[in-house]
Amino acid sequence: MAEETEKTLTQLANELNVSRDKIIYRYKKLPEEDYFKENNTIYLRHSGIQKIVDDLGDDIKENKEEEQEEENPVNPSFDYLVEQLSKKDEQIDQLQN
């Protein structure tokens, strides 16, 4: 059975947030001691995972940067709009008094 350090191609692709095709392309270049097949499933050993991660280096960094941008969208007009809304709220309160 697979150890915790061993992963399928799909698991590694999901973990690194890259396409499965990129992982498959690099897996095919690995020597046989870096992976094994069990029940028609390919498992990468730690050494194979490390080689693929090293090979993907820049792709992984780019994907992480894109994720951070998506998680923290910086929109300079957002602060301005919040400020304008609070001013309008004040104006409405004054008019109602």
Side-chain angles (χ1 to χ4, degrees):
M1 192 69 189
E3 295 177 18
E4 286 186 28
T5 58
E6 297 165 344
K7 296 183 173 142
T8 66
L9 302 178
T10 303
Q11 287 172 332
L12 184 61
N14 291 339
E15 183 178 307
L16 299 177
N17 198 23
V18 296
S19 71
R20 187 171 182 269
D21 291 338
K22 286 185 178 187
I23 301 296
I24 291 172
Y25 176 78
R26 284 153 181 87
Y27 139 77
K28 289 181 179 181
K29 295 180 179 180
L30 295 175
E32 287 188 31
E33 65 263 9
D34 289 336
Y35 66 90
F36 67 95
K37 293 181 182 181
E38 186 177 288
N39 299 328
N40 292 329
T41 302
I42 300 165
Y43 291 92
L44 296 168
R45 291 190 167 97
H46 182 71
S47 58
I49 293 170
Q50 193 59 48
K51 289 176 184 175
I52 290 175
V53 168
D54 291 344
D55 194 30
L56 284 171
D58 291 338
D59 289 340
I60 296 169
K61 289 178 188 173
E62 289 174 7
N63 285 340
K64 286 184 180 178
E65 288 173 2
E66 288 175 8
E67 280 182 23
Q68 289 175 351
E69 288 175 6
E70 289 174 7
E71 290 175 6
N72 301 321
V74 178
N75 189 346
S77 63
F78 180 76
D79 291 334
Y80 173 76
L81 293 173
V82 170
E83 183 181 327
Q84 289 298 311
L85 278 174
S86 62
K87 285 182 182 178
K88 294 296 177 193
D89 287 342
E90 288 175 15
Q91 290 175 348
I92 291 170
D93 286 340
Q94 289 176 358
L95 286 173
Q96 286 180 346
N97 289 338

